[in-house]
Amino acid sequence: MKIKKIFIILILIISSFSMVSCFNYNDINRVTFVTGIIFDEDKNSNVVLYLDCVKAYRNANESADKGKRILYKGEGKTALEAIKDVNRVSSFNLNFSQNRAYIFTGNAVNSGIKKYIDLINNDPEFPITPNIFVYHGDINHLLDMSKSDEEYLGLFLDNLIEKNKHTPKVIQSNTSDYMAKRLMENNLAIMTSIDLKDDVFDKKIQLNGGTVMQDDRMVGKIDNLNALSYNLLINNVRTGSLEIVNEETENDFITLNILKTNTSTSITSNDDKFILKKKINLKTNIAESQSKLLINSELLDKLKRLEEESIKLHTKQVFEEYKERNIDILEVLNLLNKKYGYEEEPDYLSKVELEVDVDLQIDGTGRVKNTL
């Protein structure tokens, strides 16, 4: 028994001397870490790359880490050539392993992003865990804001998504999800849209719905108003709120706080039609009323009926809007393929009918029962 313990201790001692970390202080001081990448294209379809970087500095004699923010621009016929263009003006090696966000401009998604996705997929230094975004505004405005902001763009977007990933009006997508969905039967995936919002003193980045991509090109957008309906349909709502017009005052709203949701999906075949069924269950309570409200069973039944009909209407509208454009945002083809081994036909979406069943539970108010 003692010999076994001595052997284990010797192994641990030998292992400790053989361990080498990824970076030591000297290594870090010679590297520029990329925290965010923006892919853009000019009028001649040349790649324009923007890298939001930190030049780190660490000292073994100091407890604090130091770093300098640097914004690089590279151009070339390909993304790799654009990176080499940046290397010609950077005195330190570029390291992409700490990147936190891939951002594509409107020019890039309209032209097609397959070449960029292939680069990310094939180069082991490019991580596939970061979130993926589309910015539809003027790139100069985003860059101006990035230069004046103290936060690194990639780290800021990473934190913003993490905080809001289950918010009903936010559509979240990371690179790994996108790569998987683009290879499925309908080659369709949705990326997070961002834009700039006028704030009190300056502009701020905000999450603004999603960009629908098919065959690596943009085919549509889902705005904030439709993002809630879309997220309910794909079972991606955990928290949030619903607003109902108070019929007694007509101008005031009653707010329901979402406590729990669940959406189940099934598909069946009926003659020459496919019935896509979505069962949406929501548990809520009354969080706010803009006018005095006496809460009783009659009121709760009325609110339940109104909001259930509203959710049915808006979810069907979102599906029908894209169905008319032959865009399968609910991945019906994948469901048909799994259940029936269905082979795609050009007009298969025209045979799909969406049935939405909503069960809304309202528990009354949170703190003071039956008064608000």
Side-chain angles (χ1 to χ4, degrees):
M1 196 70 176
K2 289 183 178 179
I3 296 174
K4 184 177 181 180
K5 288 184 178 178
I6 293 171
F7 178 75
I8 293 173
I9 293 171
L10 286 173
I11 291 293
L12 291 173
I13 292 172
I14 294 171
S15 298
S16 66
F17 282 110
S18 65
M19 289 180 182
V20 178
S21 61
C22 294
F23 289 101
N24 60 33
Y25 291 116
N26 291 328
D27 290 333
I28 287 177
N29 294 339
R30 296 193 186 102
V31 174
T32 296
F33 292 98
V34 178
T35 66
I37 306 174
I38 303 175
F39 297 95
D40 190 22
E41 294 186 12
D42 62 18
K43 295 180 180 179
N44 298 317
S45 297
N46 292 316
V47 177
V48 183
L49 203 66
Y50 300 92
L51 306 178
D52 190 6
C53 308
V54 55
K55 170 62 186 76
Y57 172 74
R58 294 195 67 188
N59 190 325
N61 299 320
E62 297 180 11
S63 60
D65 297 344
K66 299 178 181 179
K68 177 183 178 182
R69 186 179 189 181
I70 307 173
L71 188 64
Y72 288 114
K73 177 182 179 181
E75 299 178 84
K77 293 185 291 294
T78 67
L80 193 57
E81 185 179 358
I83 292 172
K84 292 180 179 179
D85 187 40
V86 174
N87 277 318
R88 284 195 287 269
V89 298
S90 173
S91 57
F92 300 99
N93 293 323
L94 294 173
N95 185 288
F96 293 88
S97 65
Q98 304 305 309
N99 179 50
R100 291 294 181 269
Y102 296 108
I103 306 166
F104 298 94
T105 66
N107 294 332
V109 294
N110 282 319
S111 174
I113 63 171
K114 181 181 183 303
K115 49 185 175 288
Y116 307 120
I117 297 299
D118 287 345
L119 171 67
I120 296 169
N121 189 41
N122 294 328
D123 193 325
E125 192 174 329
F126 283 79
I128 61 171
T129 54
N131 290 295
I132 192 166
F133 302 89
V134 178
Y135 173 69
H136 292 287
D138 188 327
I139 188 65
N140 292 318
H141 293 162
L142 179 62
L143 294 173
D144 287 342
M145 194 213 68
S146 298
K147 285 187 293 186
S148 62
D149 201 330
E150 294 182 359
E151 292 191 79
Y152 297 100
L153 182 59
L155 297 178
F156 171 78
L157 288 172
D158 185 57
N159 292 332
L160 191 63
I161 278 289
E162 181 61 30
K163 184 179 68 174
N164 292 283
K165 62 182 179 181
H166 293 306
T167 301
K169 294 183 179 180
V170 170
I171 295 174
Q172 185 262 343
S173 174
N174 64 38
T175 310
S176 178
D177 290 339
Y178 181 85
M179 287 180 175
K181 289 185 176 181
R182 68 193 283 266
L183 299 177
M184 298 179 78
E185 285 82 355
N186 58 358
N187 308 116
L188 187 142
I190 299 178
M191 301 197 300
T192 307
S193 294
I194 59 174
D195 61 14
L196 299 183
K197 173 186 177 183
D198 289 324
D199 207 4
V200 179
F201 298 110
D202 52 11
K203 293 180 180 293
K204 299 293 184 185
I205 296 176
Q206 70 172 352
L207 306 173
N208 188 16
T211 299
V212 184
M213 304 287 293
Q214 191 162 34
D215 296 321
D216 292 319
R217 281 185 169 81
M218 185 180 78
V219 293
K221 296 180 184 179
I222 299 177
D223 59 23
N224 268 333
L225 295 176
N226 289 328
L228 171 58
S229 298
Y230 172 74
N231 279 325
L232 282 172
L233 287 169
I234 65 169
N235 195 28
N236 191 39
V237 176
R238 299 295 179 269
T239 61
S241 61
L242 303 169
E243 289 75 39
I244 308 173
V245 175
N246 189 338
E247 290 188 334
E248 295 182 2
T249 62
E250 294 185 356
N251 296 320
D252 297 325
F253 287 90
I254 299 169
T255 303
L256 301 180
N257 182 40
I258 298 174
L259 304 175
K260 185 179 180 180
T261 68
N262 180 64
T263 301
S264 59
T265 302
S266 64
I267 193 163
T268 57
S269 177
N270 185 6
D271 294 331
D272 197 33
K273 294 287 184 181
F274 297 109
I275 310 301
L276 177 64
K277 297 181 180 180
K278 294 282 183 175
K279 171 68 175 177
I280 303 174
N281 296 291
L282 297 103
K283 182 178 180 180
T284 67
N285 64 11
I286 298 178
E288 177 189 8
S289 175
Q290 294 181 330
S291 58
K292 189 171 179 62
L293 196 65
L294 177 61
I295 300 172
N296 52 37
S297 59
E298 183 180 350
L299 173 69
L300 294 179
D301 288 343
K302 181 187 291 186
L303 295 179
K304 172 182 169 70
R305 185 179 67 256
L306 288 172
E307 189 58 23
E308 285 178 348
E309 290 303 319
S310 177
I311 292 172
K312 286 181 184 179
L313 175 65
H314 287 96
T315 51
K316 286 186 176 182
Q317 282 179 344
V318 170
F319 176 72
E320 292 297 331
E321 176 185 341
Y322 285 93
K323 176 182 173 180
E324 290 176 2
R325 298 163 59 185
N326 203 33
I327 299 174
D328 186 5
I329 65 166
L330 297 184
E331 301 178 3
V332 177
L333 183 59
N334 300 333
L335 295 171
L336 290 172
N337 185 270
K338 287 179 182 178
K339 187 169 183 178
Y340 299 109
Y342 179 80
E343 294 185 6
E344 181 179 356
E345 298 176 10
D347 62 340
Y348 74 93
L349 266 184
S350 64
K351 302 176 182 179
V352 178
E353 294 181 359
L354 176 64
E355 290 185 2
V356 180
D357 183 16
V358 182
D359 184 11
L360 177 66
Q361 177 183 339
I362 306 175
D363 287 345
T365 58
R367 293 185 178 180
V368 183
K369 189 175 181 181
N370 298 336
T371 61
L372 200 61

